[in-house]
């Protein structure tokens, strides 16, 4: 990526400060009660911890989560091998506007180019999505993963890891449902034909880390994000209490969980998706692996009926997830003249 193209440069008010505030008090939640035969009190405390974290922070870290360390090590090694391939080899599995899976290095967030390269894959096969972001286009297409021919271990590592991410995401989804006072499996039905995907990120060293972001400020439009980050770090979260950007220091073997916009809408704003971004640095490359839990593309997203009443009416109009996602994907490919679609556009 060499010289800094103006397309990467953030507006002055969004340029990162290099004197970083490290986060204190970020919830670190031990999931071992899920596998314990101890009393119900441990489990009740866990549910309460999850609820507090979702309400007060919008994100948290989990340990003793049940994901085998070997599984994570395999995908981290495979990701490094993939990104070490030549640009020509990576572009053989490049994504496009028709099929947004595979390699890409010109993604935009908030209409500013991100300092990163990515490799995306869908988890459930087949995954069906709207063919375009146009609301009157009812055609559907089937997404197909693209794999480099000379790196067979990448496919195996990604598919094994994705299975583990789905298991962990369902555990978290059920804990979140319970924390909202809902039956444990209340949210599961939305994910029967889920459109979740996995991403491999590489953030190269950057000669101007004070001007550029690996990913610009944004909220995740999905239900949940489960993030593995390496020891370099760079994820910053906008603290709800004071609006300060704070660094999420890497915790060995932990996963960072983001509450997404869909859970914000389902909870009718009881839980709030949090704005976050990724810093880059001038010396070290950084790797991360987010798993994005998405409902089926046919899902209509709206506040859950159990959580609304006369005193707390619905704060959002229903929207179709597949159409919403197609619209967001369109804005990732090119710089638009308007803000990309947000849940705020559906606020009543």
């Amino acid at each position: 990526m060499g010289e800094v193209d103006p397309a990467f440069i953030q507006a002055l008010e969004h340029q990162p400060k290099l004197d970083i505030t490290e986060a204190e008090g970020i919830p670190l939640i031990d999931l071992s009660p899920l596998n314990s035969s101890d009393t119900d009190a441990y489990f009740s405390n866990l549910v309460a911890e999850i609820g507090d974290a979702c309400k007060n922070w919008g994100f948290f870290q989990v340990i003793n989560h049940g994901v085998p360390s070997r599984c994570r090590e395999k995908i981290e090694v495979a990701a490094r091998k993939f990104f070490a391939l030549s640009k020509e080899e990576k572009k053989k599995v490049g994504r496009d506007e028709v099929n947004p899976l595979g390699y890409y290095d010109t993604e935009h967030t908030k209409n500013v180019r991100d300092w990163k390269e990515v490799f995306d894959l869908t988890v459930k096969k087949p995954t069906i999505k709207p063919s375009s972001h146009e609301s009157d286009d009812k055609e559907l297409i089937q997404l197909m993963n693209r794999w480099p021919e000379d790196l067979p271990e990448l496919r195996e590592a990604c598919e094994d890891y994705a299975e583990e991410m789905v298991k962990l995401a369902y555990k978290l989804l059920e804990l979140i449902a319970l924390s909202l006072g809902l039956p444990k499996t209340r949210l599961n039905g939305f994910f029967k034909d889920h459109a979740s995907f996995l991403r491999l990120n590489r953030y190269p060293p950057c000669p101007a880390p004070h001007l550029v972001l690996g990913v610009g400020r944004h909220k995740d439009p999905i239900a949940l994000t489960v993030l593995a980050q390496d020891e370099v770090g760079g994820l910053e979260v906008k603290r709800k209490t004071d609006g300060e950007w704070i660094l999420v220091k890497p915790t060995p073997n932990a996963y960072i969980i983001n509450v997404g916009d869909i859970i914000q809408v389902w909870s009718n704003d009881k839980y709030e998706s949090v704005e976050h971004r990724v810093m880059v640095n001038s010396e070290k490359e950084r790797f991360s692996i987010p798993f994005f839990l998405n409902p089926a593309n046919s899902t209509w997203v709206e506040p859950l009926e159990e959580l609304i009443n006369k005193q707390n009416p619905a704060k959002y109009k229903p929207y179709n997830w597949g159409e919403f996602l197609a619209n967001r994907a369109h804005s990732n490919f090119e710089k638009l003249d308007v803000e990309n679609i947000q849940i705020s556009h559906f606020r009543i």
Side-chain angles (χ1 to χ4, degrees), residues 59-321:
F59 74 103
F60 52 94
Q61 299 190 76
V62 295
I63 56 173
N64 296 320
H65 38 66
V67 179
S69 56
R70 178 66 185 140
C71 184
R72 180 164 168 174
E73 289 163 7
K74 278 175 60 181
I75 194 171
E76 288 174 343
V77 169
R80 288 174 182 269
K81 285 184 178 178
F82 172 74
F83 287 120
L85 295 173
S86 68
K87 183 74 76 177
E88 182 184 11
E89 285 299 308
K90 287 182 284 194
K91 288 199 168 181
K92 287 180 182 178
V93 290
R95 80 189 205 196
D96 53 45
E97 286 197 63
V98 176
N99 185 0
L101 300 176
Y103 174 76
Y104 199 60
D105 65 351
T106 54
E107 191 164 73
H108 291 72
T109 302
K110 304 282 188 187
N111 291 325
V112 180
R113 190 171 165 190
D114 296 329
W115 191 273
K116 67 177 181 182
E117 51 182 339
V118 308
F119 181 78
D120 287 340
L121 62 133
T122 187
V123 172
K124 197 172 179 69
K125 299 177 282 292
T127 294
I128 308 297
K129 70 176 279 287
S131 64
S132 86
H133 65 285
E134 301 292 344
S135 60
D136 57 351
D137 185 350
K138 302 304 179 186
E139 184 182 353
L140 299 174
I141 61 170
Q142 180 174 324
L143 299 183
M144 303 293 291
N145 287 330
R146 296 166 167 167
W147 302 104
E149 289 182 8
D150 298 330
L151 198 60
E153 63 264 40
L154 180 66
R155 179 171 186 169
E156 180 185 352
C158 287
E159 290 180 347
D160 289 349
Y161 185 80
E163 281 185 26
E164 294 297 331
M165 289 297 97
V166 171
K167 290 178 195 173
L168 176 56
Y170 268 94
K171 290 178 188 176
L172 295 164
L173 204 61
E174 292 177 355
L175 288 168
I176 288 170
L178 289 169
S179 75
L180 288 167
L182 302 169
K184 183 169 85 166
T185 58
R186 172 63 175 90
L187 305 177
N188 294 24
F190 295 114
F191 298 91
K192 183 182 176 185
D193 296 310
H194 65 92
S196 304
F197 71 99
L198 190 66
R199 167 170 288 181
L200 311 180
N201 283 321
R202 175 181 176 263
Y203 303 95
C206 176
H210 59 296
L211 301 176
V212 169
L213 287 167
V215 184
R217 75 200 191 283
H218 68 287
K219 296 183 177 185
D220 290 348
I222 47 68
L224 273 183
T225 303
V226 182
L227 175 73
Q229 65 168 343
D230 67 11
E231 72 286 351
V232 175
L235 175 66
E236 285 193 318
V237 174
K238 198 171 191 178
R239 189 162 48 197
K240 290 175 70 172
T241 53
D242 58 10
E244 281 294 308
W245 287 105
I246 56 172
L247 180 70
V248 182
K249 186 178 179 181
T251 300
N253 302 316
Y255 286 96
I256 298 167
I257 313 301
N258 286 32
V259 171
D261 286 347
I262 290 176
I263 284 180
Q264 178 170 333
V265 173
W266 281 340
S267 73
N268 207 34
D269 282 354
K270 181 172 183 180
Y271 296 161
E272 187 180 346
S273 176
V274 70
E275 201 167 37
H276 52 286
R277 66 187 187 183
V278 175
M279 300 265 288
V280 289
N281 68 78
S282 59
E283 297 174 1
K284 294 181 179 178
E285 61 183 348
R286 174 181 181 260
F287 295 88
S288 70
I289 307 170
F291 167 80
F292 300 103
L293 180 69
N294 293 338
N297 279 318
S298 59
T299 301
W300 283 87
V301 179
E302 60 186 315
L304 298 173
E305 59 183 358
E306 300 97 317
L307 302 179
I308 57 175
N309 52 43
K310 285 184 179 179
Q311 291 73 39
N312 184 34
K315 296 176 181 175
Y316 298 91
K317 295 178 287 187
Y319 62 91
N320 179 269
W321 170 243

Side-chain angles (χ1 to χ4, degrees), residues 8-23:
F8 289 104
I9 296 176
Q10 295 285 326
L12 185 62
E13 65 270 25
H14 299 304
Q15 290 173 6
K17 297 176 184 175
L18 299 186
D19 53 332
I20 298 165
T21 303
E22 243 179 52

